[in-house]
Amino acid sequence: MEESVKKLTAETEAKISECVEKADLNAIRVRVLGKNGELTALLKSMKDLPPEKRPEAGKIVNAAREKLEQAIAARQAELERLELAKRLREEKIDISIDIRPPASGGLHPLTIMRSRITEFFSSLGFVIADSPEIETDYYNFEALNIPADHPAREMQDTFFITENILLRSQTSAGQVRMMEKVKPPIKMLSPGRVFRADEADATHSPVFHQVEGLVVDKGITMCDLKGILDLFAKKFFGENTKTRFRPSYFPFTEPSVEVDASCSQCGGKGCRVCKGTGWIEILGAGMVNRNVLKTCGINPDEYTGFAFGVGLDRITNIIFGINSMRTVFENDVRFLKQFN
Amino acid sequence: MKLPISWLNEYVSTDGITPKELADKLLNIGFEVEEIIYMGDGIEKVVAGKILEITKHPDADKLSVCKVDVGEEKVTIVTGAKNIAIGNTVPVALDGATLPNGVRITAAPLRGIMSYGMMCSGAELGVDNNVIEGADVNGILILPEITPGSDIKDVLRLNETVLDISVTANRPDCQCVYGMAREIAAMLGKKLKPLHLNYKSISFEQTPTVEIKDDACSRYTCNVISDVKIRKSPDWLRDRLRYVGIRSINNVVDITNYVLMEVGQPLHAFDTSFVSQLGIIVRKASNGEQITALDERTYTLNDSMLVIADNEKPLAIAGVMGGEYSGITDTTKTVLLESARFSKGNVRATSRALGLRSDSSARYEKGVDYASVDVGRERALALFHQLKAGKVTTSFAAANRAKPQPKTVRTSAKKISELLGIDVKPNVIAKILKGLEFKVEIDGDSITAQAPLFREDIENYTDLAEEVIRFYGYDNIKSTFMSTAKTTAGGTDVRQKNIDFLKTLACNFGAYEISTYSFISKKAASQLILPQNSELRNQIEILNPLSDEYCVMRTQLASSMLNVVAHNFSKKNKEFRLFEVGKTYIARELPLKELPDERDTLIMAFTGEHESFYTVKSAVSEILRRFAIHPEQAEYGKKSYYHPGISCDYYINGENFCSFGKLHPSVAKNFGIADDVYICEMDLSGFISAEIPNVKFAPLPKYQTVERDLAVIVREEVPAGDIIKTARHADPLCIHAELFDIYRGEQIEAGHKSVALSFILSSPDKTLTDEEITTAFNNVLSSLEREYGAKLR
């Protein structure tokens, strides 16, 4: 009996360790350990033994059963491990392949830049305001200290609808509307679309965008203008950016300045971007002309203010390195995707 | 304006300052130098050479071999020139020389004999007879006798540097050499030398008269010059005109141009023999009056235009151009020299209306000040005297209208300092202003400054502040942060926030934002096959458009979008979604009497394999849901550019505010689009400025929900969407219903379809029993039976 158990155990163990299929393993289990299995048969045959030997024989058989069950379980686990390893091996893919990304959509670069600028000024207490694109001569010129004979009318070739109605040539038109409605303290930012009769080329477009800023309060100085524009330049062109004021002329400000930022490409040494000057013209600004304040019913002896006008398209092109105004309005999808 | 350095130096010395340094300094006081022009640029190693010998080339009949003294050495030059002789002085380009056209000269053998340079013609050096006599001949330029070895740039007076300066519109006084000299003198702290105004005058038998009949002329003066000898101007004068880009004509015309460039005063010279009784009348033209101008063209004038006339005829279009017959000719003996001031507005309007421009009109348009009239005339008379171009006479006449008074500004150093934000002392302010020819008095802190007459731009203390800071230096402006200003709450308004939100939504649909022009072509209306009576044809027209392509303000965004779509297709871009939020311009009446409505409008365009009416509809529905907008009515689209069976119009308050669907195939063709395009247009103006109402939270179902499917057979024309809507409202327990299939075909009666929907049943306060579920199911079914004659499939 004992011999038979030993033999069966040894044979079965050998089969288990050779087994490579889970199904075969199961077959072994049924054949040896099943209800009619070989080991079960040996157990059953115990009834032929003398009663005093039965407990001993029972122990031997049960020990063999336990041993074989463990061996089967171990083999089972091993086979599963191999099977998983094989599956993982077979499922390997070529990770170098790219597929089209999900269409995520995105904003036009002008909108992206406009949002950044409005957020910046909004955080400094500026109210963002909008005003009409089709304007009267009064708001676009007259109230901005540009009477009919003024040479500044020549500076800007304006599109006219009637003798008195035109496409605004500057967002400054919105200044006057604001100051008519709201009295100081005023901190306003007016981004918008403007129009000038310029043929479209790399640097011109008959449609473009400005962001007009206006501050009117008691004791506002040119140094305050410098302060806010310094902040602006640092925010948009980098922490080390410096600004420079150059005298200029706008009818609605006095004194008037052009503002240059040190070239962020070369740090002011001179490069292709700044045409070797080390400076990039970013905006026009000045102290609000007394006549403009008066026209809007604000006492210029009590209040002073400053105004500035940023060319949104220009800033966008500088920041994103876009080299032609035409590209901006062409709206090629391959262009649009680059900013999002 | 063009500023030759040598001319500038006549009035203020810039010795020791390079043109580049000068340009940098000018930028700081508000004058941008756009270009520094070096006149002789490109000419290097070209010298005067004296021909010592000429022998025939032994191996070439047409060539000669010359020995030429070029100063430090004598060189051999082989030439084919015929017009040279021993003893001639000629320009010689030495070995290694460059010429203005970029040609480089190197020593090389010519038929076996080494030639160490080239003799040059006038053309090769870029000069003509105007620069030096003989430059126009076909051959070598024969120079007057000059020391051999002299730099040809000196010989031809090409060693000039010219600054091309951009002058802002408020400073017409700086549109001339003397005006810039004044600024530069102040800038450098140097003395401005006076103009040469000295001349002797003789008497003349006839005295002119002047009568001004119109306010467009505020001062008119004229002076007779007798014994005029028309001839060539001296080199120095012709050179200066050349440096500023003006062609020399003759001494009289050159003097008028010279004065225009030097002091900014346009002058005009009449031949007195054509001025009846020397009686000048400045008047408006009569309608239809004609004049033949110096350009030999006849102009028909109207009564808004100012003319200079005698008692018989117009002599000149004031400030614009003289008449042909009264002009200077070679036989002119006596000249009536006009120096006058005409209003810039009148000159501009006249010049524009006639399409006639001249150096004079360009200058008047910028503004000529009152004081210049006399300065300019006196300077011209001094030149007539100096050049012996004629005899200045005492025969003079002048008339005025509205003589301007010098402007006086009373202010204080404190006010100026407060505006600038820095402290500037009264004496510093006074010094700067005096340097600019202001008359200044200081009394403690207070300042009284009288502006010179040529400074018409000065009005109040802010103008003085600008003058001060220009010369004090903008470097002194430091950054401060509005310490005196009240705190304000910044931010965007509701409309802008909503537009930003809408754009974010559109991006979430995978759409890219585009930006297009606000004006479009008139052709767009026919491309969109708009009916003649379509409101969209009521477009606002631009009076002066750049081209027909951009001549009307858009009433719809579709045509701009379709052009962009077509452009992208042409670039082989396929499968994309685009959107734009822009304005449409809706006139209340045309022609425009008041400002039009500017309506915020959304347009989207979807194109690609997976796009359909339903993809664009789902985007529209999502936008409307997020803005809590509920269209009251939906109909098949009526707009001409949509496919009539695959498009939809939404209405609110009876207004069609939103249309979407497939582009009409004919319209697609008109825009050159071959693929299917689905578009959506939404007029946002009705809701974009209103706050989006806060969402009211609906508690999540506490109890199990039950899903049931139902398929019914209905007539083909019953809209499936209506069935869903009815199902959704058929029983209070039904909280959601959606379509999952439409089937036509076998087992379904012709003209009918099977609509399968699934709906969700739920109760807020208990788990549903089978009985309740069955009742609800039956309610849904019976509603559909009742409404649409639906039968359970």
Side-chain angles (χ1 to χ4, degrees), chain A residues 104 106 108 111 114 125-126 128 133-134 158 160 193 217-218 221-224 230 254 256 331-333, chain B residues 418-419 463 466 478-480 482 484 486 488 491 496 507 511 513 515-516 518 543-544 568 573 585 598:
Chain A
S104 53
H108 193 276
T111 304
R114 180 192 142 120
F126 284 68
I128 315 301
E133 290 173 6
I134 299 185
T158 309
F160 284 90
R193 192 162 255 222
D217 205 342
K218 286 179 181 164
T221 74
M222 204 143 198
C223 288
D224 294 331
D230 269 347
E254 184 73 28
S256 302
N331 301 298
D332 190 307
V333 174
Chain B
E418 275 175 357
L419 186 70
D463 302 297
E466 179 164 68
K478 302 287 174 240
S479 287
T480 57
M482 303 193 274
T484 62
K486 290 209 178 75
T488 48
Q496 192 52 55
C507 290
E513 186 189 16
S515 183
T516 61
S518 308
L543 287 179
N544 55 332
N568 273 290
N573 298 329
Y585 307 85
E598 295 180 11

Side-chain angles (χ1 to χ4, degrees), chain A residues 110-153:
Chain A
L110 287 172
T111 304
I112 296 172
M113 216 46 226
R114 180 192 142 120
S115 298
R116 289 190 199 168
I117 293 174
T118 52
E119 262 168 44
F120 171 75
F121 282 103
S122 181
S123 72
L124 293 174
F126 284 68
V127 172
I128 315 301
D130 194 44
S131 63
E133 290 173 6
I134 299 185
E135 258 299 2
T136 59
D137 186 278
Y138 177 79
Y139 286 106
N140 196 68
F141 288 127
E142 200 77 35
L144 289 169
N145 199 35
I146 316 175
D149 267 4
H150 204 282
R153 296 213 181 198

Side-chain angles (χ1 to χ4, degrees), chain B residues 488-599:
Chain B
T488 48
T492 41
D493 60 5
V494 175
R495 170 181 161 275
Q496 192 52 55
K497 268 187 207 132
N498 283 346
I499 288 179
D500 290 347
F501 175 56
L502 175 65
K503 287 183 177 182
T504 311
L505 276 181
C507 290
N508 290 349
F509 304 145
Y512 289 95
E513 186 189 16
I514 63 166
S515 183
T516 61
Y517 289 175
S518 308
F519 28 62
I520 57 172
S521 161
K522 261 188 196 168
K523 198 179 68 186
S526 55
Q527 280 180 297
L528 294 173
I529 53 176
L530 295 177
Q532 283 311 315
N533 61 357
S534 167
E535 284 186 5
L536 296 178
R537 281 185 181 265
N538 297 335
Q539 300 169 121
I540 298 163
E541 285 190 40
I542 297 169
L543 287 179
N544 55 332
L546 281 180
S547 67
D548 287 348
E549 212 183 331
Y550 306 119
C551 65
V552 291
M553 301 306 289
R554 56 187 178 181
T555 53
Q556 41 72 30
L557 304 186
S559 62
S560 310
M561 173 59 86
L562 293 173
N563 283 326
V564 170
V565 169
H567 175 77
N568 273 290
F569 283 148
S570 77
K571 299 288 175 192
K572 305 271 183 262
N573 298 329
K574 304 266 173 192
E575 312 244 333
F576 50 80
R577 292 180 167 191
L578 299 175
F579 78 98
E580 180 171 24
V581 178
K583 285 178 168 180
T584 55
Y585 307 85
I586 311 298
R588 289 185 199 94
E589 63 176 319
L590 284 173
L592 224 50
K593 293 262 165 29
E594 52 180 342
L595 296 185
D597 269 356
E598 295 180 11
R599 291 191 192 159

